Amino acid sequence: MKQNVLSGVIFLLVLSWCSVGFSAYHHEGERDAEKFLTVYPVKAGTKLDNCALCHKGGEYLDSKNKPVELGSCQWCHRTYGYDGAGDIQETMNEYGKAYKSAGRNAEAVTSLNSQDSDGDGYDNATEINADNFPGNADDHPGLTVAPYRIYTREQLEALANHSQFLLMNTSRSGDFYAEYTGVPIKDLLDDAGILPSATGIKVYAPDGWGQNHPLEYEESLDMYHVYGNAPGQSYQYPPATYYYDLEADTTKNPDNGWCDYSAVSCTGRSHGDSIFVENGLKAILAYKREGAALDPGVLNNENKLDGEGPFRVVVPQKFVGEPDQSSKSNAQDVK
């Protein structure tokens, strides 16, 4: 049996009114979680109540032949695609493949209990009961918990803060301009005592969605660095320009617009203005938007998050550009 040490620093951001835990992440339209929970009801809300139970991360080579590692959420979206045009089999780990082959039902979950899908020396039932992923050989009983720091909101707010106005350019939920305030992630990692050997962090949303961030700049469009500066530059992210488009304005064009300019911090700005941010644009762990605390994220009945807080990792654009139409919009023939 393997004996490994999970190295690094884990951050748990805790508010006085919430408990520490790993929230479930069920992808919109998925139908397998309830079958797993039929066999293991006590695992509801644990890290196993998540797409990563059956899906894996992966890596690809960038234009410089450098491997770029993605977590299970990012890998599935890249490989299978938002439109489902890819091969779902390529996103699945060995446990997921075995579950699918065995019938993709509660009986299939039970039939796999005595197997060791990931070949780590522990059968699937033993790993599941210990809250380990049965399809990930690097996660098994006997591991030493990594050192970690727990920050309260008050402790975060006591650290030097940074405010920045920027375009939040999203792929599906609509673009908007806003001012966020929070702690530069570099400063937070330094304060926590990140190990010199660390190469990146993984951030989880309240619904369990996971996002990998490298510490240093990477060329890939998928990867947003959180520690070092852009190559050969004194800034972490490039200075931005304010772009206003009447057709894009969702207030003026509520049916087909694609950018929300309603934030108070947009007042007085004109198209083409340079956006000045004291100390430059950075990757931050935000706790305020437009001067007010972020609304806590709550999972609604459609398995989507309402609210973006109480904390949000905010990263600027790597390559400065204008707001663009959501990929979900029916109106794609726009300038």
Side-chain angles (χ1 to χ4, degrees):
M1 297 181 185
K2 301 177 183 177
Q3 293 291 326
N4 293 332
V5 176
L6 299 178
S7 61
V9 177
I10 299 173
F11 302 95
L12 298 177
L13 306 175
V14 185
L15 295 180
S16 59
W17 46 263
C18 70
S19 60
V20 179
F22 191 106
S23 299
Y25 180 70
H26 301 159
H27 196 282
E28 182 180 0
E30 74 88 28
R31 56 188 178 88
D32 297 292
E34 64 181 41
K35 292 155 188 174
F36 173 73
L37 295 177
T38 297
V39 181
Y40 291 100
V42 297
K43 299 305 174 183
T46 70
K47 76 176 190 180
L48 301 182
D49 188 9
N50 187 281
C51 296
L53 176 67
C54 292
H55 294 270
K56 63 182 180 179
E59 67 177 33
Y60 66 94
L61 298 178
D62 65 17
S63 61
K64 296 182 179 179
N65 213 35
K66 179 181 177 182
V68 177
E69 183 179 350
L70 300 179
S72 58
C73 298
Q74 295 164 285
W75 181 248
C76 190
H77 282 206
R78 178 182 176 85
T79 305
Y80 185 53
Y82 286 105
D83 58 1
D87 183 0
I88 192 67
Q89 195 82 356
E90 293 183 20
T91 75
M92 299 173 71
N93 59 40
E94 293 306 312
Y95 182 79
K97 292 176 183 177
Y99 162 75
K100 182 181 177 185
S101 297
R104 200 177 176 184
N105 50 36
E107 290 72 22
V109 175
T110 301
S111 72
L112 299 178
N113 281 342
S114 61
Q115 298 182 25
D116 178 12
S117 294
D118 55 17
D120 61 3
Y122 298 88
D123 64 60
N124 295 334
T126 297
E127 295 209 79
I128 291 170
N129 286 322
D131 288 331
N132 296 119
F133 287 118
N136 182 352
D138 292 328
D139 185 35
H140 55 77
L143 293 173
T144 301
V145 177
Y148 60 90
R149 287 282 305 274
I150 297 175
Y151 284 85
T152 64
R153 185 186 184 98
E154 290 72 23
Q155 289 172 323
L156 286 175
E157 292 182 338
L159 298 174
N161 66 48
H162 176 76
S163 294
Q164 57 189 29
F165 176 81
L166 75 169
L167 170 65
M168 296 295 284
N169 188 283
T170 71
S171 62
R172 293 166 65 80
S173 58
D175 295 354
F176 61 93
Y177 281 96
E179 181 183 79
Y180 283 93
T181 299
V183 182
I185 294 179
K186 179 184 186 301
D187 295 349
L188 178 58
L189 293 173
D190 285 340
D191 185 77
I194 189 170
L195 298 178
S197 58
T199 58
I201 64 173
K202 186 164 188 175
V203 179
Y204 289 98
D207 62 358
W209 165 273
Q211 180 89 15
N212 286 6
H213 289 278
L215 295 186
E216 305 299 335
Y217 178 91
E218 289 191 8
E219 184 181 66
S220 169
L221 292 174
D222 299 318
M223 307 303 283
Y224 290 85
H225 58 292
V226 296
Y227 196 86
N229 287 338
Q233 303 295 337
S234 60
Y235 53 72
Q236 192 173 62
Y237 282 88
T241 300
Y242 184 73
Y243 295 102
Y244 180 80
D245 186 322
L246 184 62
E247 183 183 8
D249 192 335
T250 54
T251 301
K252 309 293 185 183
N253 183 13
D255 293 330
N256 296 316
W258 57 90
C259 187
D260 183 351
Y261 297 96
S262 65
V264 173
S265 54
C266 290
T267 304
R269 300 181 189 270
S270 300
H271 176 70
D273 285 351
S274 296
I275 297 175
F276 172 75
V277 175
E278 187 174 0
N279 297 319
L281 289 166
K282 306 173 184 287
I284 68 172
L285 182 68
Y287 46 74
K288 288 183 179 180
R289 175 174 169 179
E290 298 294 317
L294 299 181
D295 293 332
V298 177
L299 203 61
N300 63 29
N301 292 333
E302 296 180 351
N303 200 42
K304 297 179 181 179
L305 277 176
D306 289 333
E308 59 180 330
F311 306 101
R312 178 174 186 166
V313 171
V314 172
V315 288
Q317 290 180 291
K318 290 175 72 171
F319 304 100
V320 177
E322 303 180 39
D324 51 17
Q325 183 64 284
S326 166
S327 62
K328 295 195 301 183
S329 174
N330 293 323
Q332 294 294 322
D333 186 19
V334 295
K335 63 182 179 181

